[in-house]
Amino acid sequence: MNPSSYLRGRVGRRRFIAGAGAVGGFALVGSSAPASAGRPVPAPLRPDAMTVALGTPVDQLPGVRATPAAHHHHEASASGHAARGAQAAKDLEPFVDPLPVPPVLRGRDGQLTVSMRRARVRLHRDLPYTHLWTYEGGHVGPTIEVRRGNRLRVAWENELSGDFPVPAVRIPFVPPQDPDEPLMWDRPGRDGGKPRKDVAALPPWTVVHLHGAFTGGGNDGWAENAVLPGAAQLAEYPNRQRACGLWYHDHAMHITHLNVVAGLVAGSYLIRDEEEAGLGLPSGEHEIPLVFFDRNLDLDGDGAFTGDLLYKGIVVADDPYELTRPFTGPFNTVNGVIWPHLDVESRWYRFRALNASNNRPYLLKVLDEDGEELPPEAFVQIGTDSGLLPRPARITDGLPLTPGERADVLIDFSRVRGQRLRLVNTLPEPGARPDLMQFRVASRAGGDGFDPPGVAARSFTPLTRKKTEGARERLVIVTPVYPKDPELWEMEEVEAPKGKLPVDGIVQIQDAEGTVRTYKRVAADFQDPVTFTVAAGSTERWTFLSLEKSEGAYPHPMHLHSVSFQGLSRDVYDTSGFVAFELDGGGWGMGTRKPLKLKKKGELTAAEKGPKDVISLKPSEMVTVAAEFDGPAGRFMHHCHIYEHEDMMMMRPFLVQPKAVLDLAPHDSAKHSGHH
């Protein structure tokens, strides 16, 4: 649940994330190259209010106080806003709307046009209509279906009009008076915040990214290549990849976190092939997309719903400068409807699940009328982000999905005939409703005769550390939230510096054998020069390391564009040696004062060992993946898939180029060859 914040010392970045405000007195970051050792002045302690926002239960922090800004502006009115918002959320009845199933589009002669347009949709039976920017008029866009190897050219036409449809407010955090009271982000209403003029002035500037597609850089939906109304984004998708469930969404530079809440959130894109068809999986009306994302709703002065969605940013710290928490909201939607229901037959179904939230992770469980979980043999995962698993995996302790992750699952409803089941998120916060949707199972036996296959993807080739020995290694570090913004550092191995540590941008890591390796930060901002160039066709090992220490924090979903990868390892490190300190010239530096040491070996799930393009990175974890860059060449991005984080520049470009081209490049091409 790492809070996002203003960009480093530049008003433009600050405004995009949290609205205009006073800029702190620190030059928070200079160049991305290491600076001199810091003075022995420690960073300030993280405020208790921020620790709550990171995920620590309120009742474990009896001394928690609001930030000074929160105390000054909101103490008198907080209880009234909280009561109205909490009551409004409780009064909205669940399971009254049927689950909408998006229509299916198939190209004609390899061509397809999808329009982005303004529409009025109803999110719940008892709510007024909501104005949204949409793909083809639905809160969730149509499902696009293609055959493997059949090229599709899509014209994404921007036909949007009117003002930005979602009011945005920014308010200081006020801790709850009651541990059972919903936290501010989990209750509707503005809590006294004034609509932001900078967000209201945003034009319909959009770009579509087909997440997980192996396509050239010119078709990937580069964040800065967005279009305004009256123009179209033209993209070509080769679809030369195994059967899988991709998805499309907005990726406009700086404002993705707002555009998706405005309605440009998601649509499924399914690639079919012969291997999948041979499994006889549930299909047609028995294969259903489930797109999950949470939202907030605006209230009028009397505490009644207006029908408008609301983007509520919560300021969780204001010293040495303000930090704002990424968006979460009290209302979970499935396919764009709040807490819907689905009538199902007493038989097996296939669900294509997607977490399209800004920030919220899910741990999905199906509960019967007694509150018991479905048996593992009735809840089976057969695929993940980039395709089918080699063998189906029974779901024994819930199905985890961080933002951007997908799961291809089978559910057997024949075991619970006549029951009403609940699909719930078992990671809710205090006072928040865990429900996502209800399944209403028919009483009559279905008798489809289906059984999950013993082997799913025979074509899948597992990668191991042994198989990837000699592969080019990359290290990407995610820094803690406080006292600076969380940052995405690209690292390069160097000789250990002379003199005392810490040094800004220098990180030392000790492996299980006791060997200490030293790394230097070579990039930390989207605008920094490209430092990762990959040879097309090569396999690389990418390692992601989170230096966030708060165990309750939401994970970072780490995503690489235009490539599939497989998890190799997940380990937990003692990150106490990574510290923040004041630099001689002002501002904050970060680095290790002692090497980071392996604490314990972690475990990858069966899905994480399969074909992926997003992987969860929890606090103090190191996750290594093997990526096969066998798609088209081009300029792509890697980033954290928390939208506020990518918009605050936790996103970096990388290049994929043919090896023969790199061999002629006027630099040391050997280091880009994919081998040491």
Side-chain angles (χ1 to χ4, degrees):
M1 198 183 299
N2 294 348
S4 68
S5 66
Y6 301 136
L7 278 152
R8 297 188 291 256
R10 290 186 169 87
V11 173
R13 179 173 177 183
R14 293 167 54 103
R15 283 178 175 161
F16 280 124
I17 300 303
V23 179
F26 298 107
L28 293 176
V29 166
S31 83
S32 58
S36 60
R39 290 182 287 170
V41 177
L45 295 177
R46 177 181 279 160
D48 286 343
M50 177 183 282
T51 304
V52 172
L54 283 169
T56 300
V58 179
D59 56 8
Q60 294 182 20
L61 291 170
V64 68
R65 294 183 191 76
T67 62
H71 181 81
H72 177 72
H73 292 292
H74 278 258
E75 184 179 24
S77 61
S79 58
H81 289 301
R84 285 198 298 272
Q87 190 60 47
K90 290 178 181 178
D91 289 344
L92 199 63
E93 187 178 352
F95 314 139
V96 297
D97 293 284
L99 176 79
V101 178
V104 176
L105 299 181
R106 298 179 180 89
R108 177 177 296 180
D109 299 324
Q111 310 281 338
L112 184 65
T113 297
V114 177
S115 69
M116 290 169 275
R117 60 177 183 260
R118 193 178 183 93
R120 294 169 69 245
V121 300
R122 185 159 255 163
L123 310 185
H124 186 278
R125 181 196 65 187
D126 299 327
L127 291 178
Y129 279 95
T130 300
H131 290 277
L132 293 173
W133 291 346
T134 71
Y135 299 107
E136 293 290 333
H139 198 179
V140 168
T143 296
I144 299 173
E145 193 170 300
V146 299
R147 296 291 300 177
R148 180 176 183 174
N150 290 353
R151 181 181 63 190
L152 181 66
R153 290 174 173 166
V154 180
W156 302 98
E157 294 189 340
N158 188 338
E159 299 177 354
L160 296 166
S161 62
D163 296 334
F164 193 80
V166 177
V169 298
R170 174 176 150 271
I171 56 176
F173 178 64
V174 177
Q177 304 300 311
D178 183 340
D180 295 325
E181 177 186 313
L183 297 168
M184 296 179 74
W185 44 83
D186 274 334
R187 63 178 185 244
R190 303 181 185 185
D191 285 279
K194 302 296 183 183
R196 288 170 50 185
K197 294 181 180 180
D198 54 352
V199 173
L202 286 173
W205 189 65
T206 70
V207 62
V208 181
H209 168 55
L210 180 54
H211 179 124
F214 300 174
T215 190
N219 303 292
D220 190 49
W222 186 259
E224 295 166 311
N225 290 343
V227 298
L228 289 167
Q233 171 195 343
L234 305 178
E236 179 177 283
Y237 306 116
N239 301 314
R240 290 195 292 269
Q241 55 196 106
R242 61 172 59 94
C244 59
L246 311 180
W247 63 296
Y248 56 91
H249 62 85
D250 185 82
H251 213 309
M253 194 72 176
H254 308 303
I255 58 172
T256 298
H257 68 293
L258 296 168
N259 277 356
V260 295
V261 173
L264 300 174
V265 56
S268 296
Y269 186 105
L270 304 180
I271 299 178
R272 308 290 193 183
D273 67 9
E274 293 302 319
E275 183 175 53
E276 176 197 37
L279 298 175
L281 300 171
S283 60
E285 63 182 9
H286 304 114
E287 180 186 15
I288 300 174
L290 298 179
V291 181
F292 306 107
F293 51 94
D294 56 335
R295 290 294 182 260
N296 208 331
L297 295 170
D298 204 4
L299 303 175
D300 63 21
D302 296 325
F305 290 115
T306 66
D308 291 330
L309 291 173
L310 174 70
Y311 186 95
K312 184 161 65 174
I314 311 297
V315 178
V316 294
D318 63 359
D319 182 19
Y321 63 108
E322 288 181 322
L323 290 160
T324 304
R325 182 183 185 276
F327 174 86
T328 55
F331 301 104
N332 285 304
T333 73
V334 188
N335 293 357
V337 169
I338 298 171
W339 307 321
H341 69 264
L342 177 67
D343 293 325
V344 295
E345 300 171 41
S346 174
R347 53 161 290 159
W348 284 92
Y349 277 72
R350 183 183 186 186
F351 294 102
R352 313 299 288 264
L354 158 67
N355 183 349
S357 296
N358 284 43
N359 177 35
R360 185 181 294 282
Y362 293 97
L363 182 62
L364 305 177
K365 294 185 179 182
V366 182
L367 306 181
D368 64 18
E369 291 179 347
D370 296 323
E372 299 295 326
E373 295 181 47
L374 280 185
E377 56 269 23
F379 194 17
V380 178
Q381 184 169 3
I382 60 167
T384 183
D385 304 343
S386 298
L388 295 168
L389 291 169
R391 293 182 179 277
R394 294 180 176 181
I395 299 171
T396 58
D397 191 25
L399 177 68
L401 287 178
T402 58
E405 286 190 295
R406 286 90 73 206
D408 192 348
V409 299
L410 301 171
I411 298 180
D412 181 11
F413 293 110
S414 68
R415 300 168 183 268
V416 283
R417 289 163 49 188
Q419 289 200 38
R420 296 194 172 192
L421 312 179
R422 291 185 302 132
L423 180 64
V424 301
N425 177 28
T426 55
L427 297 177
E429 292 174 302
R433 180 186 289 274
D435 297 307
L436 295 171
M437 65 177 293
Q438 182 188 70
F439 296 109
R440 298 177 179 178
V441 187
S443 299
R444 188 173 60 184
D448 59 348
F450 173 79
D451 282 314
V455 177
R458 296 181 184 276
S459 63
F460 178 76
T461 303
L463 295 176
T464 63
R465 281 194 171 272
K466 186 174 183 180
K467 286 184 179 180
T468 58
E469 284 181 0
R472 174 73 174 170
E473 295 184 1
R474 313 285 184 180
L475 175 61
V476 177
I477 284 177
V478 178
T479 66
V481 174
Y482 198 75
K484 295 165 59 174
D485 303 316
E487 297 175 339
L488 197 69
W489 289 4
E490 292 179 349
M491 309 300 289
E492 180 181 285
E493 189 169 4
V494 296
E495 296 295 325
K498 297 179 181 179
K500 293 183 177 181
L501 295 175
V503 173
D504 183 32
I506 293 292
V507 173
Q508 291 189 322
I509 302 173
Q510 181 175 315
D511 62 23
E513 287 72 38
T515 303
V516 175
R517 301 171 73 176
T518 302
Y519 297 89
K520 175 183 71 172
R521 181 186 63 216
V522 292
D525 190 276
F526 186 78
Q527 304 299 337
D528 288 338
V530 172
T531 62
F532 288 176
T533 299
V534 179
S538 67
T539 297
E540 296 197 347
R541 294 202 299 214
W542 286 53
T543 294
F544 304 99
L545 173 61
S546 172
L547 297 177
E548 174 57 57
K549 300 175 179 65
S550 179
E551 292 185 4
Y554 281 3
H556 292 279
M558 308 308 295
H559 173 46
L560 301 182
H561 281 213
S562 199
V563 70
S564 175
F565 55 72
Q566 300 173 35
L568 295 180
S569 62
R570 179 184 295 279
D571 299 314
V572 180
Y573 272 72
D574 178 358
T575 57
S576 60
F578 186 84
V579 296
F581 48 88
E582 189 175 353
L583 296 171
D584 288 333
W588 301 103
M590 287 185 171
T592 51
R593 63 184 176 189
K594 61 181 180 180
L596 310 178
K597 295 183 179 181
L598 178 67
K599 193 173 180 179
K600 63 180 180 179
K601 290 286 186 180
E603 292 186 2
L604 295 167
T605 65
E608 290 172 335
K609 296 176 184 177
K612 294 279 291 172
D613 55 49
V614 177
I615 197 159
S616 172
L617 182 68
K618 298 183 181 69
S620 299
E621 280 191 340
M622 176 185 284
V623 176
T624 299
V625 304
E628 298 179 289
F629 291 89
D630 50 6
R635 186 181 184 96
F636 304 105
M637 297 177 284
H638 68 93
H639 57 86
C640 172
H641 213 283
I642 293 173
Y643 285 133
E644 285 80 358
H645 285 182
E646 69 178 64
D647 280 341
M648 59 174 289
M649 303 299 153
M650 288 184 67
M651 180 166 67
R652 286 283 302 145
F654 70 92
L655 300 181
V656 178
Q657 296 183 353
K659 184 179 182 303
V661 173
L662 290 177
D663 289 341
L664 294 177
H667 51 67
D668 181 10
S669 61
K671 69 180 181 179
H672 300 302
S673 66
H675 301 283
H676 289 295

